[in-house]
Amino acid sequence: MQSSSGEMKLGSIVCQYCGELIDTVDTNRVKILYGVCGLSTCSVNNPKEMEQPLPPQAEQGKRVWHFQEGHAGMKTLLGGKGANLAEMTNAGLPVPPGFTITTDACRAYYSAGGKLPEGLFDEIRSALVKVEQTKKQKFGDSLNPLLVSVRSGSVNSMPGMMDTILNLGLNDNTVKGLASHTGNPQFAYDCYRRLIQMFGNVVFDIEGIHFETLLHRKKNELAIDEDKDVPVEAWIEIIEKFKEVIEWRANVPFPQDVYEQLHLAVEAVFRSWNNQRANVYRKAYNIPDSQGTAVNIQSMVFGNMGDDCGTGVLFTRNPSTGEKALYGEYLINAQGEDVVAGIRTPLPIAKLNQEMPEIYEQLVQTAAKLEAHYKDMQDIEFTVEKGKLFILQTRNGKRTAQAAVKLAVHFVHERILTIEEAMLRIDVEHLNQLLHRAIDEDEKLQVLAVGLPASPGAATGQVVFDADKAEEWSRSGKRVVLVSSETSPEDIHGVIAAEGVLTSRGGMTSHAAVVARGMGKPCVCGCEEVRIDTGEGQFIAGDVKVREGDWITLDGSTGRVIAGTVTLKEPEMSDELGQLLKWADDIRALKIRTNADSPEDAAKARSFGAEGIGLCRTEHMFMSASRLPVVQAMILADNLKDRKAALDQLLPMQQSDFEGIFAAMEGLPVTIRLLDPPLHEFLPNMEELLLRQERMKKDADTIDERSALDQLIRKVRNLQEMNPMLGWRGCRLGILIPEIYQMQVIAIFRAVLALQKKGVQVVPEIMIPLVGHVNELKAMRELVDRTAEDVLGTLKEQVPYQVGTMIEVPRAALTAGQIAQYADFFSFGTNDLTQMTFGYSRDDAEGKFLTHYVEHHILSQNPFQVLDTEGVGLLIEWAVESGRSKKPGLKTGICGEHGGEKDSIFFCHQTGLDYVSCSPFRIPLARIAAAQAQLIHSR
Ligand code: ADP
Ligand code: MG
Ligand code: MG
C-alpha cells in the first residue's frame, strides 16, 4: 500500500525508445523510470541514444535546428523525421541540407491561437541563408532558385497523416530560371504545377480532385497516359488553370512571394497536426494531442528530371515476413509522393538492380549501414537525381507481428541486439495478431482475384466502398471489408473500422498497406483485376459481380480475394516465436496460467506454455444439451431426496470432466471454481414459458400438463432476481444448498483418485467464489475438508489439495487479513471486482456509457480491458499485503480477463502476485509481457 510507505513521490516513466511519457509513478515503489510505451508507433531506438544529453541550446529554447546540430535522441523536440535526418547527416549519408523547426514551436503556434510565435520566421529566414550558401543557390532567385520541401514530422511516426509540400520557392519568375538552368523546361513546369496543387491542398484546403480533373481532361485531350509525357506547353496551360482554381476556391491568388509561400506552408504544416485523419490516428494509437509536430525544411532533390532519375521507398528487410531481403518499390522519373500515394503502381526494388545497378548497390550498403546504426529494420525514402542517390528519410519500419518476432530473434543471432533488448522490442498487443487464424487450405475456395499480399492474416466481412460507411456499418455490429480503388490517408477511420482492406491500385508501401500492417489488419493491395464501380456500388472480378453488402474473404498472406466466408484454422507458432518465448521464460518472475473449462482448451493452453489452470469454471459443464435437463431437475426439486437423485446423476459426469482436465494438465496445478452463477441461468426463459402457457390455453391440452407448466412458471418466477449480479450466486448458493458444492467436491476427489491410480499426478485447488465475509469461506472450507475426508479417507495424505477463494467482492479485499486464515490462495477475479468497485454492471456500462466516458476522457481506459490500478489495484495491493501478513505463504494470482493484458500484467508483477491466468490464445503474449515487466521492474 502506498499509504504505508509515507509520502508518495511522483516521478515519470518514459519510454526508453521514443521518450513518450508512459505514466507517473510513486518513486518509492518504482526505481527505474524507463519503460516501454508499447505503442505500435513507438520509434523503438537504440536505448543509448536516450542517454545522450540534449545539447545545451535546447534548454535555451532554440527553435530552429540545422540537420548538423541534432541527433536521433532528440525526437521529442525535432520529431522523428527531423531527428533522423540530423542523425543521418552526421553519419555522412547523402542527405539534402536543411533544418528543423521544433515541436515546441508548434505548441507555441497553438497557444498563440494559430500564429507563428514572435521572431520565429526571422530565425527560419536566417537558417535558410545557410542552406543557400551550402547549395550555392538563392531562394526566390530568378536564375538558379533554391527550392525546398516543407515536411511535417511528429514524434511518433504517423505515416501520411499530416502534410508536406514539395518544390516550394517556385513562382512565375523562378520557374523560368529553373527551366533554363536545368535546360529542362518540361521538368520545371511539372514541379511548378505540383507545387500549386500541393499548396492549394495543404494551405488552402482545396481537395485534390479539383486539380486532378483538369489534369485528366488535358491528358485525355492529348491522348497521354502518364504525367511524365505531358509536354511543356500543356503544363503551362494547366498551371494557369490551377492558379484559377486557387483564386476561385481560396479567394486569394497563388502567392508569388516565395517568403509568403514559406510562411503559409509552415503554418499549414503546424495546422495539419490537427486535421481529421491525424486526430483519428492519434486516438487509435494513444498518441497525446499535446505533442505537436515539427516542421522540416529541406532543399529539394529531383527524381522527376528524366529517366536517369527516380524515387522510391525501401525496407531493409521484409516488413511482412521479417525475411532478410531488401523490400521496396520505386518509380523512374517521378517525385516522392507518387510512390506512396498509390497513383501509379510502382516497380519492385529488385528490378532497380537491372535498371540502375550502381544505385542499387549503394542502396544495399546504405540499408546495412542504417540498420546497424539504428539496430533495427529501417524504412527508407530515397530519390535519385541524375544518377546520384539521396536519402530523404529513415525510420524504424512498421512491421507485422510475425516479422517483429522474426526480426527480434534474428537481430540477437546477428549480435545486433541483446536478448533483453530484443525482448523489450516486442509490442505485446501486436503479438495478438500472430495468434489469429488463417485460411484452411483444404477447403475449396472461389478465388476472385489475386493482388499484392500487403498485410497477412485472413479477414471476412461485408463489402463496403467508402470509409464513412465502413465506420457506420461496423458501429452497428457488422463486419466489413473496405474496398477502394486508391488508398488515401483520409480513409484511416474506415481502415480502423474494417476487418481488412482491399485496394485495386497502389503498392505494398502505399499508405493503406503501411497502416494496415501496423494495425495487424489483413490487406490486399494493387489488385488490378478488381474493377470497382462505386457508382453502381459493386466491383467486378472476372465475370463475378460483388455488390455492397456481399461477403468476401481476404487472404493478406497470399493476396487472394475470395468469394464468401471461409473456414479458418488455428494458428501455428513459428520457430522464432518459440525461441523468444523460451528467452522470456528464463527472464520472467510471474507464472502464467490459463483459464480453461475443457480438456481441449487445457491442452491448447499447455501447448502455448500454460503452467497450470488459474480458473476452471464449472458452470459451462452444466450447460450441454444432455446435462441441462438433469441440472434443471436438480434446481426445481421439491425435496432433498429428488435433489440428491439429480445430483447423483450429475456426479459421474462432473467426475469425467475433471478427469479430462486434470489429465491434460498433468503435474500442474488446476484451480476449479465451484458453481458461481445464479440458478435461474440454467432454467428456461420466462417469456418463452409464458408464451407456451398462452398457447396451451388455446390448444385445450390436458389439465396435468397445464398445471405442471404453471408450477414451473411459479418456480422460475421465484428464482428471478432484480439484480442477479448481486443476488443469490457464488458461495451464497453453496451455503444454502450445500449438496451442490458437495457433489462437485466429491467429483473432484474421485477424479483425483482415479488418475492417481493410473499414475497421473494431480494438483487440485478448490476455489470458493464470491466470498465477502470470512464466515462464508470458513463454512465452505469446512464443507470441502469434510467432504475430502469422506472421499479420501486414509488416502488423504497422498492428495495435497488446497482450498482458496476468489477475491472479487470489495469487502473480501478489505478484510483479506481475516479471510486469509481460511484460504491457501487468493485469486483476484478482476472482472467482478471491477464491476463491484466501480458499481458498474459490465453489460450495461459497455453498452451505454463507458464508450462515452472513454471518448470524453472521464476515464482514460475501459477498466474492463485495462486494470484500474488506482482503484481496483489499490484493493488488490491491500489484499495481498494484509493477506500475506497473516499467512506468509499465501499464493496469489489473478484470473480476470486482465490476466492477458500487458499493463495489467505489469501491475500484477509489481504487486508481487505469483501468477496471472488468461485465455489460451493470450498465453504467449502474457509470457513476453511478464518478461518485460521483470526487465523493467526487476523483483
Ligand atoms: P510523409 O511523412 O507523408 O512521408 P514526407 O515529408 O516524407 O511526407 O514527404 C513526402 C514525399 O516527398 C516523400 O516521398 C519524400 O521522400 C519526398 N520529399 C520530401 N522532401 C523532399 C526533398 N527535399 N526532395 C525530394 N523529395 C522530397
Ligand atoms: Mg515520408
Ligand atoms: Mg465472479
Side-chain angles (χ1 to χ4, degrees):
M1 276 289 287
Q2 289 159 347
S3 54
S4 60
S5 55
E7 181 87 359
M8 183 171 128
K9 272 187 268 158
L10 279 186
S12 46
I13 302 190
V14 295
C15 177
Q16 60 181 321
Y17 297 122
C18 68
E20 187 68 26
L21 179 71
I22 304 169
D23 205 356
T24 47
V25 285
D26 173 3
T27 46
N28 293 324
R29 208 179 46 169
V30 181
K31 300 259 161 4
I32 304 165
L33 296 181
Y34 277 115
V36 190
C37 67
L39 298 174
S40 325
T41 48
C42 176
S43 18
V44 176
N45 228 318
N46 182 350
K48 287 216 182 71
E49 287 165 3
M50 293 311 298
E51 292 158 18
Q52 244 173 284
L54 289 185
Q57 305 102 293
E59 309 299 329
Q60 288 155 25
K62 181 174 157 70
R63 295 181 292 196
V64 176
W65 293 72
H66 281 284
F67 293 162
Q68 291 88 342
E69 297 171 318
H71 60 74
M74 294 175 69
K75 289 200 171 75
T76 315
L77 193 64
L78 302 182
K81 197 180 286 166
N84 285 331
L85 283 168
E87 185 81 10
M88 288 196 293
T89 301
N90 290 319
L93 286 159
V95 175
F99 53 89
T100 304
I101 308 166
T102 62
T103 56
D104 278 349
C106 179
R107 283 187 294 271
Y109 165 84
Y110 278 106
S111 44
K115 277 209 305 275
L116 290 195
E118 269 292 300
L120 178 63
F121 198 65
D122 294 334
E123 289 167 42
I124 294 173
R125 282 185 79 138
S126 57
L128 196 60
V129 171
K130 198 164 157 195
V131 179
E132 290 176 329
Q133 287 161 355
T134 318
K135 291 278 289 186
K136 299 195 174 67
Q137 290 176 319
K138 274 190 100 57
F139 193 53
D141 189 53
S142 54
L143 295 177
N144 184 12
L146 171 69
L147 303 190
V148 296
S149 59
V150 180
R151 317 173 65 186
S152 57
S154 51
V155 178
N156 304 105
S157 91
M158 296 167 49
M161 295 303 136
M162 286 177 298
D163 295 322
T164 282
I165 300 176
L166 304 181
N167 310 320
L168 201 105
L170 280 175
N171 57 24
D172 294 350
N173 191 23
T174 56
V175 70
K176 291 184 192 139
L178 184 66
S180 63
H181 187 80
T182 57
N184 190 344
Q186 193 198 17
F187 148 76
Y189 285 90
D190 175 35
C191 288
Y192 194 21
R193 67 91 192 175
R194 285 172 188 266
L195 168 64
I196 300 172
Q197 174 166 355
M198 273 192 247
F199 200 90
N201 193 240
V202 174
V203 175
F204 297 126
D205 241 348
I206 303 170
E207 283 171 48
I209 185 89
H210 297 297
F211 301 101
E212 275 146 29
T213 339
L214 291 171
L215 177 54
H216 265 287
R217 208 177 293 155
K218 191 75 208 171
K219 283 200 294 191
N220 277 347
E221 193 186 307
L222 301 174
I224 289 172
D225 271 344
E226 294 201 43
D227 294 355
K228 66 180 171 63
D229 300 324
V230 175
V232 65
E233 306 74 41
W235 280 138
I236 291 172
E237 228 177 275
I238 287 168
I239 284 164
E240 287 314 310
K241 293 232 171 77
F242 277 15
K243 287 201 277 193
E244 281 165 22
V245 171
I246 299 232
E247 282 237 42
W248 176 47
R249 296 258 150 197
N251 271 325
V252 286
F254 172 75
Q256 290 293 319
D257 176 348
V258 292
Y259 288 102
E260 189 186 344
Q261 289 179 6
L262 187 60
H263 197 286
L264 290 172
V266 171
E267 285 189 330
V269 172
F270 280 155
R271 255 197 329 268
S272 74
W273 172 253
N274 257 341
N275 69 29
Q276 198 212 344
R277 59 184 197 267
N279 274 309
V280 173
Y281 192 91
R282 281 204 294 279
K283 196 166 263 171
Y285 284 100
N286 273 325
I287 299 171
D289 293 337
S290 58
Q291 227 173 43
T293 180
V295 178
N296 301 288
I297 296 182
Q298 186 174 30
S299 51
M300 286 298 301
V301 288
F302 301 102
N304 56 333
M305 285 177 101
D307 286 344
D308 54 352
C309 303
T311 181
V313 177
L314 176 80
F315 287 79
T316 54
R317 306 197 184 202
N318 186 320
S320 204
T321 63
E323 193 193 334
K324 194 173 180 177
L326 290 194
Y327 176 99
E329 291 158 334
Y330 72 99
L331 283 170
I332 291 292
N333 198 0
Q335 208 168 44
E337 294 280 305
D338 299 355
V339 179
V340 288
I343 295 166
R344 275 157 70 186
T345 299
L347 302 169
I349 198 77
K351 226 174 159 215
L352 191 66
N353 199 8
Q354 294 148 31
E355 289 201 273
M356 297 179 173
E358 273 167 38
I359 295 287
Y360 185 82
E361 187 47 39
Q362 278 178 49
L363 274 175
V364 171
Q365 280 166 19
T366 310
K369 190 169 169 184
L370 282 172
E371 201 172 69
H373 188 83
Y374 284 99
K375 296 184 160 201
D376 202 355
M377 184 250 282
Q378 295 297 296
D379 166 357
I380 301 167
E381 286 173 9
F382 66 91
T383 283
V384 180
E385 178 183 299
K386 296 206 158 296
K388 183 165 164 26
L389 175 68
F390 292 92
I391 307 296
L392 290 165
Q393 187 172 343
T394 192
R395 61 184 166 204
N396 298 319
K398 296 207 183 308
R399 62 208 68 183
T400 62
Q402 189 195 357
V405 167
K406 202 171 249 184
L407 288 174
V409 173
H410 288 185
F411 283 148
V412 171
H413 289 154
E414 293 170 32
R415 295 179 188 279
I416 293 174
L417 294 178
T418 65
I419 290 176
E420 289 75 16
E421 285 171 330
M423 192 63 61
L424 289 171
R425 280 285 172 83
I426 300 295
D427 172 354
V428 173
E429 264 320 306
H430 201 187
L431 272 190
N432 200 16
Q433 73 173 260
L434 262 192
L435 306 160
H436 281 172
R437 293 153 211 230
I439 284 169
D440 184 355
E441 298 298 337
D442 294 337
E443 196 173 331
K444 208 167 147 17
L445 304 173
Q446 187 193 350
V447 177
L448 298 174
V450 180
L452 301 171
S455 179
T460 296
Q462 290 175 274
V463 169
V464 289
F465 293 100
D466 81 48
D468 293 341
K469 193 163 257 175
E471 198 177 35
E472 190 187 310
W473 283 26
S474 130
R475 263 214 205 109
S476 70
K478 291 183 181 171
R479 290 195 293 156
V480 301
V481 169
L482 180 63
V483 181
S484 72
S485 52
E486 278 165 33
T487 59
S488 137
E490 266 110 54
D491 294 339
I492 172 86
H493 57 292
V495 177
I496 291 173
E499 306 290 318
V501 181
L502 166 64
T503 72
S504 57
R505 274 189 272 171
M508 310 269 277
T509 53
S510 66
H511 286 312
V514 171
V515 170
R517 273 198 295 276
M519 293 186 173
K521 307 237 175 196
C523 176
V524 175
C525 268
C527 187
E528 292 179 4
E529 295 166 58
V530 161
R531 274 171 297 128
I532 300 174
D533 184 346
T534 33
E536 286 289 307
Q538 64 181 31
F539 74 76
I540 297 175
D543 48 13
V544 182
K545 247 188 220 154
V546 179
R547 307 194 130 270
E548 180 182 274
D550 287 352
W551 287 82
I552 61 168
T553 299
L554 300 181
D555 180 4
S557 317
T558 61
R560 287 175 301 177
V561 181
I562 299 157
T565 56
V566 170
T567 327
L568 302 179
K569 70 172 171 28
E570 300 299 331
E572 282 162 27
M573 248 198 260
S574 68
D575 293 349
E576 284 86 0
L577 182 57
Q579 175 64 75
L580 199 67
L581 288 168
K582 262 201 214 109
W583 289 334
D585 294 345
D586 292 340
I587 296 169
R588 69 187 158 90
L590 268 179
K591 289 214 175 294
I592 312 293
R593 296 196 190 183
T594 192
N595 298 350
D597 307 337
S598 69
E600 296 74 39
D601 277 359
K604 184 178 300 142
R606 198 169 184 162
S607 76
F608 284 149
E611 296 165 291
I613 290 181
L615 175 62
C616 171
R617 303 178 190 87
T618 45
E619 52 269 20
H620 293 177
M621 304 170 180
F622 283 21
M623 289 289 189
S624 72
S626 61
R627 295 180 188 188
L628 201 54
V630 188
V631 174
Q632 290 176 344
M634 183 272 289
I635 295 170
L636 298 169
D638 285 322
N639 53 61
L640 200 58
K641 193 171 137 269
D642 289 355
R643 172 161 290 147
K644 282 220 160 113
L647 284 167
D648 283 346
Q649 264 183 285
L650 283 175
L651 178 63
M653 304 179 189
Q654 280 265 275
Q655 183 182 335
S656 76
D657 294 332
F658 294 144
E659 283 182 28
I661 287 170
F662 284 144
M665 276 290 157
E666 177 174 6
L668 297 173
V670 174
T671 305
I672 293 174
R673 178 178 72 182
L674 302 184
L675 196 66
D676 182 50
L679 294 180
H680 66 80
E681 283 192 13
F682 301 102
L683 296 179
N685 177 293
M686 191 65 181
E687 278 160 31
E688 269 167 40
L689 290 178
L690 290 175
L691 272 179
R692 216 194 297 168
Q693 193 182 37
E694 213 38 48
R695 247 180 279 129
M696 268 197 188
K697 274 183 199 149
K698 283 184 207 135
D699 292 357
D701 273 281
T702 63
I703 305 216
D704 276 359
E705 268 179 54
R706 238 191 278 174
S707 78
L709 182 63
D710 291 347
Q711 209 188 346
L712 178 61
I713 289 175
R714 245 194 326 278
K715 283 187 176 162
V716 173
R717 191 168 278 143
N718 270 341
L719 282 170
Q720 271 193 333
E721 294 182 313
M722 295 301 286
N723 190 342
M725 186 187 103
L726 301 174
W728 189 30
R729 50 175 284 223
C731 65
R732 302 159 197 173
L733 283 173
I735 288 174
L736 268 70
I737 315 180
E739 298 80 20
I740 301 179
Y741 278 13
Q742 208 168 12
M743 177 279 288
Q744 292 194 294
V745 175
I746 296 172
I748 291 170
F749 286 113
R750 285 194 185 164
V752 173
L753 288 180
L755 287 174
Q756 279 196 345
K757 224 176 254 163
K758 292 189 211 157
V760 177
Q761 202 208 335
V762 183
V763 189
E765 298 177 346
I766 295 168
M767 178 152 76
I768 311 298
L770 222 71
V771 165
H773 192 285
V774 59
N775 288 343
E776 290 174 317
L777 181 62
K778 182 166 180 265
M780 290 299 94
R781 170 146 211 156
E782 276 165 18
L783 176 115
V784 174
D785 285 341
R786 214 181 327 116
T787 312
E789 188 96 49
D790 288 350
V791 180
L792 301 173
T794 53
L795 298 171
K796 201 175 170 206
E797 293 305 301
Q798 295 163 33
V799 183
Y801 69 90
Q802 292 194 337
V803 182
T805 182
M806 248 177 147
I807 302 283
E808 51 189 337
V809 175
R811 193 183 185 285
L814 293 169
T815 58
Q818 296 171 24
I819 289 177
Q821 288 174 267
Y822 298 97
D824 302 321
F825 62 86
F826 284 171
S827 171
F828 292 94
T830 48
N831 294 350
D832 269 334
L833 192 57
T834 301
Q835 294 203 89
M836 294 193 218
T837 303
F838 275 90
Y840 298 165
S841 100
R842 180 173 186 172
D843 293 339
D844 296 314
E846 289 188 333
K848 297 222 164 61
F849 57 85
L850 210 47
T851 322
H852 178 95
Y853 267 33
V854 173
E855 274 172 10
H856 292 80
H857 306 293
I858 290 178
L859 294 179
S860 63
Q861 269 148 333
N862 176 346
F864 294 105
Q865 283 163 8
V866 181
L867 189 76
D868 159 47
T869 52
E870 291 170 355
V872 180
L874 201 63
L875 284 172
I876 296 177
E877 288 171 324
W878 170 254
V880 169
E881 196 175 296
S882 48
R884 284 199 183 137
S885 73
K886 288 283 152 47
K887 188 178 274 184
L890 185 76
K891 186 157 53 181
T892 55
I894 152 182
C895 64
E897 268 169 67
H898 301 98
E901 191 278 326
K902 184 198 152 187
D903 290 341
S904 315
I905 293 173
F906 268 54
F907 172 82
C908 292
H909 171 88
Q910 285 174 272
T911 309
L913 298 194
D914 296 300
Y915 67 86
V916 296
S917 187
C918 59
S919 75
F921 281 113
R922 295 192 71 90
I923 286 171
L925 185 158
R927 287 161 76 186
I928 292 186
Q932 292 180 338
Q934 171 69 5
L935 288 174
I936 294 167
H937 312 284
S938 168
R939 78 175 203 203

